[in-house]
């Protein structure tokens, strides 16, 4: 017999889970639409060549690849062949993030899309990562991106929108860490790290949160960065970290600290982002690196105290769309991690009661006998046309069993339609919480349940 | 340079497409929830063994298989090996329908789920089919299933719910064709078709719509059914088709016609379905077969005159869940095809204007200069807190260009915030349709735009 578990690292979402997910997604959509972002959806399956080379070496390994089909596969797997490579066997792959597909869509639809294309996209992505607590192989990203402008107004709006979402969800203690890839480049140059190992250095620096400065130092060495450079990098980050641990005027102090290292243009732009997202809790953090290789300017990451990873992150990627089209088009975006948000909200009990404890229906209609099914169905239909969510017991059964069933699925009301009620043209409404019941017309029943629901 | 097209048979959905899709999905969800169905979501990726053997031979071929990863793959693809089978190279597969995953979830969560589990599920599925007009490799199914009861009340409720959805979407001319797998079994037996080729015969009969009775006859012969049996089958179906072409009392006449062929129990149950779904436009069609192999009782399919295929279909599958668990659990479901519904609605122009012609925002706020960005952002934020969808022009630019841009994306209002407006604490609101503009406070601006929107 086949296993009934979902595949490794994948999850089934039962109704209570889906309701929580949809609640969060609903707020995210609402805020993005309020900011003028439009919905986009791309297929789960992309041509393999669309994805390869976009996420760095580590990312490439984690792409789920789809087996070629039919004749194309048979050509590769015939008898007596040489060693096969993944690219011999696969032509398609599962979506790995929402940014690369967006870049492809923008390049492909240049003439239909507005000059400034503001889109949001909430879809799952797949990564063949080793599953761990809070790390899944299928998870949702909630992305928002603005295409076509190099102005820092974009960063400001994105940060504002994301902050508003988190506030509406009930987060009050989040911080948006802000940095710029060019800050890191200038720091790496100052520390004497040669350009060809910059991206290696960034992968190591990105782990500062998780493995600490000693861990990063030794990874820097193993990635071919000299002892002197590594030490100088750690010294610079230690100094800014020292400022970050203090309370007052943090952002200004850090910028002052960077003045001799970072170019004026970058500092000015960072200043603009700070000004344009004035209401958001931003902290400049020069050690923030972000894993993905396509960022070119500002980078952001959201932290809350009780989560090791981030709730989301993003940045500017002015070079990515040019990899698909003839034209370089500036772009900047933010991605919220739905699963992380849900984990923290669950642990903190942040869901409103109507979401956390919702029932599948407002009322259950009983079925008395084979002969009265049609009457019960008619009553259900009347109650529904009054806006109630009505579940019909699916078969004639003992009344006690039907009521017990309603109670077990937390439905608060039962409408009993027995022979005597049918004869009178009435229905008995039973409130399962109070135990009170009354026999009324179906219109009154609808009103009674509806009124109680609104309280 | 990589191609910017989506993969073969896959589609990108630009904002106008997504809005139409979400409109239809919204109505489907609303009606299902009104009937007490709860949302379920399952992963896109299933263990290959979960899917194989569930969809018949043709279905098996169309499952997208995912390449094994890392060491597991290297073990298979090393040098000098024998011919490789798909199952050597693949351990996972893409979801092919929503019914098999549901059966797996029910078997896996028996104790958490209610005794009668009513769920809906709206998610994409993937089939490695040859793409054609209206046939895609990624498409959405909107499924609704009731688990745990053998009563025909379930069929009745499902048909009612689906009919209500179609009516709310504006369909008035659909028909729900109804049959029962046991009707077909009895007919096949009567025609002398031996049991071991029943499923072959069904695959042929399923094509009656598309290839006509001559086509089906010759396919029956090629599938090993005798000439006499094939002729008798075609005779039976011709007779019921003749009745179907008449207008009066169709269902009763067809049932009368089947009395000598079909068992009493099946006829009684068909009669119950007809009674319990009395408001739906049902036609009994004894030649309706449905492709999938897991059906055991009633089968249904929705037709409209201007579409060759169906808008959706379903049936009873009392044996499927038992393939995953120790226990046989009766079940019945219906699946609506989102893409088919959208195609017909598009061709008939059935979308309400606010969906068909929607703009990304109610108003665009201009940016006068680098110095006034913060004021424009503040105005945008005020308008948003009044419930408006506001898009901010992303950079300082010539006013004419900003207005032209608003017009190009169909945003009906522009709020101009120049030096003089800022000095006065006001804003100029321009109605792009009428050309009228007035200078008012930001609160008045919000009210003015909101009022116009409501008209």
């Amino acid at each position: 017999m086949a296993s009934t578990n979902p595949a490794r690292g994948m999850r089934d979402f039962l109704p209570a889970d889906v309701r929580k997910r949809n609640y969060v997604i609903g707020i995210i959509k609402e805020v993005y639409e309020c900011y003028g972002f439009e919905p986009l959806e791309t297929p789960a399956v992309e041509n393999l060549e669309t994805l390869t080379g976009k996420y760095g070496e580590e990312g490439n390994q984690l792409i789920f690849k789809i087996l070629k089909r039919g004749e194309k596969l048979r050509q590769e797997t015939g008898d007596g062949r040489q060693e096969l490579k993944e690219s011999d066997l696969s032509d398609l792959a599962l979506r790995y993030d929402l940014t690369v597909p967006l870049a492809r869509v923008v390049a492909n639809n240049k003439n239909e899309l507005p000059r400034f294309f503001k889109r949001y996209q909430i879809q799952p992505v797949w990564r063949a990562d080793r599953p761990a607590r809070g790390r899944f192989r299928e998870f949702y990203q909630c992305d928002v991106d603005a295409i076509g402008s190099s102005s820092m107004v974009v960063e400001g709006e994105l940060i504002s929108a994301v902050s508003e979402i988190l506030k509406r969800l009930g987060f009050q203690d989040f911080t948006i860490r802000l940095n710029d890839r060019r800050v890191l480049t200038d720091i790496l140059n100052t520390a004497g790290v040669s350009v060809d190992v910059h991206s290696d250095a960034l992968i190591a620096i990105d782990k500062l949160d998780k493995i600490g400065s000693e861990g990063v130092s030794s990874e820097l060495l193993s990635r071919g960065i000299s002892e002197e450079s590594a030490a100088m990098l750690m010294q610079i980050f230690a100094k800014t970290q020292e400022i970050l641990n203090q309370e007052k005027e943090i952002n200004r102090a850090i910028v002052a600290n960077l003045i001799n290292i970072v170019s004026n243009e970058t500092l000015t732009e960072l200043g603009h982002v700070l000004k344009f997202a004035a209401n958001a809790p931003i902290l400049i953090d020069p050690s923030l690196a972000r894993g993905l290789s396509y960022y070119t300017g500002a980078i952001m990451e959201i932290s809350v105290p009780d989560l090791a990873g981030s709730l989301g992150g993003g940045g500017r990627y002015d070079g990515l769309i040019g990899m698909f089209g003839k034209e370089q088009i500036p772009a900047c975006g933010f991605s919220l991690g739905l699963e992380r948000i849900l984990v923290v909200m669950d642990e903190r009990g942040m869901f409103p009661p109507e979401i956390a404890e919702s029932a599948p229906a407002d009322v259950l209609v009983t079925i008395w006998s084979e002969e009265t099914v049609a009457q019960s169905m008619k009553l259900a239909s009347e109650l529904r046309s009054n806006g109630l969510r009505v579940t019909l017991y699916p078969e004639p059964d003992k009344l006690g069993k039907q009521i017990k069933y309603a109670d077990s699925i937390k439905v608060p009301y039962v409408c009993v339609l027995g022979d005597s009620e049918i004869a009178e043209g009435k229905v008995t409404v039973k409130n399962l919480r109070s135990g009170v019941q009354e026999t009324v017309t179906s219109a009154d029943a609808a009103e009674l349940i509806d009124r109680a629901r609104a309280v």
Side-chain angles (χ1 to χ4, degrees), chain A:
Chain A
M1 195 172 296
S3 158
T4 60
N5 286 317
R8 185 162 172 258
M10 312 277 171
R11 292 164 298 163
D12 295 318
F13 297 115
L14 299 187
D17 303 316
V18 178
R19 282 189 198 103
K20 286 180 182 173
R21 298 173 73 81
N22 286 347
Y23 165 75
V24 174
I25 288 173
I27 288 180
I28 293 174
K29 274 189 182 178
E30 206 180 302
V31 173
Y32 285 158
E33 291 190 356
C34 243
Y35 275 76
F37 290 91
E38 301 189 83
L40 177 78
E41 292 183 2
T42 65
V45 175
E46 291 278 357
N47 286 317
L48 183 54
E49 58 161 17
T50 301
L51 305 190
T52 39
K54 308 299 187 306
Y55 304 110
E57 192 42 48
E58 271 182 59
N60 246 0
Q61 300 290 334
L62 302 182
I63 295 173
F64 274 112
K65 288 148 194 104
I66 293 175
L67 198 59
K68 285 185 182 173
R69 296 147 305 283
E71 196 41 51
K72 277 193 194 160
L73 181 66
R74 277 188 291 276
Q75 280 172 17
E76 302 290 350
T77 55
D79 215 350
R81 292 263 349 253
Q82 296 300 302
E83 185 168 342
L84 286 166
K85 295 188 302 289
E86 286 191 341
S87 54
D88 298 327
L89 295 169
S90 170
D91 52 351
L92 300 170
L94 291 187
R95 188 169 51 213
Y96 182 85
D97 77 347
L98 304 180
T99 310
V100 169
L102 169 67
R104 179 184 60 67
V105 168
V106 170
N108 199 42
N109 296 273
K110 241 212 122 289
N111 298 327
E112 285 107 285
L113 295 177
R115 195 174 132 227
F116 303 114
F117 181 45
K118 295 169 70 175
R119 87 87 176 79
Y120 70 87
Q121 185 170 355
I122 302 174
Q123 289 193 290
V125 300
W126 295 270
R127 298 187 183 173
D129 221 335
R130 193 181 298 273
R133 207 182 103 79
R135 196 201 293 143
F136 307 103
R137 292 182 146 194
E138 173 182 73
F139 57 96
Y140 269 66
Q141 291 192 331
C142 310
D143 275 32
V144 64
D145 293 79
I147 312 291
S149 172
S150 324
S151 158
M152 294 302 110
V153 170
V154 169
E155 275 83 346
E157 276 239 296
L158 289 171
I159 292 173
S160 297
V162 165
S163 298
E164 188 168 333
I165 287 168
L166 292 172
K167 284 176 196 162
R168 280 221 213 164
L169 289 172
F171 286 94
Q172 286 160 342
D173 55 351
F174 64 94
T175 308
I176 298 179
R177 290 156 68 212
L178 172 70
N179 196 17
D180 193 300
R181 269 287 162 91
R182 294 164 300 176
V183 169
L184 288 162
T185 305
D186 291 344
I187 290 176
L188 289 169
N189 286 335
T190 303
V193 178
S194 77
V195 175
D196 55 310
V197 288
H198 272 199
S199 60
D200 282 297
L202 288 180
I203 291 174
I205 294 169
D206 187 43
K207 298 175 182 162
L208 202 52
D209 272 9
K210 292 161 210 150
I211 61 177
S213 66
E214 265 180 54
V216 172
S217 288
S218 65
E219 186 165 335
L220 283 169
L221 298 185
S222 78
R223 285 176 179 272
I225 282 102
S226 75
E227 223 164 305
E228 297 72 36
S229 293
M232 187 158 176
L233 285 174
M234 290 306 108
Q235 205 188 331
I236 294 171
F237 294 137
K239 195 154 181 199
T240 54
Q241 190 55 48
E242 197 187 306
I243 305 177
L244 278 170
N245 291 338
Q246 299 163 1
E247 288 291 311
K248 232 175 65 186
E249 290 282 5
I250 289 172
N251 287 323
R252 193 181 302 176
I254 288 182
V255 171
N257 187 244
L258 295 174
I259 275 175
N260 295 322
I261 298 177
V262 175
S263 82
N264 266 333
E265 192 200 343
T266 306
L267 289 178
T268 308
E269 289 196 4
L270 269 178
H272 280 158
V273 177
L274 284 175
K275 191 171 123 194
F276 296 157
N279 294 325
I282 299 183
L283 261 189
I284 290 183
D285 180 354
S287 71
L288 176 69
R290 301 279 300 150
L292 295 167
S293 57
Y294 48 61
Y295 292 118
T296 55
I299 44 181
M300 294 87 86
E301 212 166 87
I302 307 168
S303 323
V304 284
D306 48 346
L307 186 79
S310 73
L311 291 185
R316 181 167 279 281
Y317 50 98
D318 288 347
L320 185 61
I321 299 171
M323 293 173 80
F324 289 99
K326 283 180 193 134
E327 208 180 330
Q328 280 300 4
I329 300 178
C332 183
F334 221 110
S335 180
L336 288 173
L338 181 63
E339 330 297 327
R340 303 281 183 82
I341 292 176
L342 286 163
V343 162
V344 178
M345 289 183 68
D346 250 333
E347 284 178 2
R348 295 188 185 177
M350 286 166 68
F351 290 100
E354 69 273 18
I355 301 299
E357 299 143 24
S358 82
D362 303 310
V363 54
L364 178 138
V365 171
T366 63
I367 292 190
W368 190 254
S369 70
E370 200 69 63
E371 289 68 42
T372 65
V373 168
Q375 280 92 338
S376 287
M377 291 189 90
K378 187 162 164 282
L379 173 63
S381 151
E382 275 176 49
L383 295 173
R384 284 178 193 130
S385 63
N386 280 287
L388 294 177
R389 295 176 307 141
V390 183
T391 194
L392 183 67
Y393 197 83
E395 53 198 39
D397 206 342
K398 285 182 190 148
L399 190 57
K401 257 178 97 179
Q402 300 191 48
I403 292 172
K404 211 168 147 190
Y405 172 72
D407 202 41
S408 76
I409 58 170
K410 294 183 192 156
V411 170
Y413 283 91
V414 170
C415 279
V416 178
L417 201 65
D419 283 337
S420 59
E421 281 91 353
I422 292 172
E424 286 182 70
K426 295 206 165 170
V427 50
T428 299
V429 182
K430 192 175 167 73
N431 179 333
L432 294 188
R433 286 179 198 159
S434 66
V436 174
Q437 65 176 57
E438 42 188 320
T439 301
V440 297
T441 65
S442 62
D444 286 345
E447 211 194 306
L448 195 152
I449 298 164
D450 191 39
R451 211 166 349 130
R453 194 179 52 160
V455 172

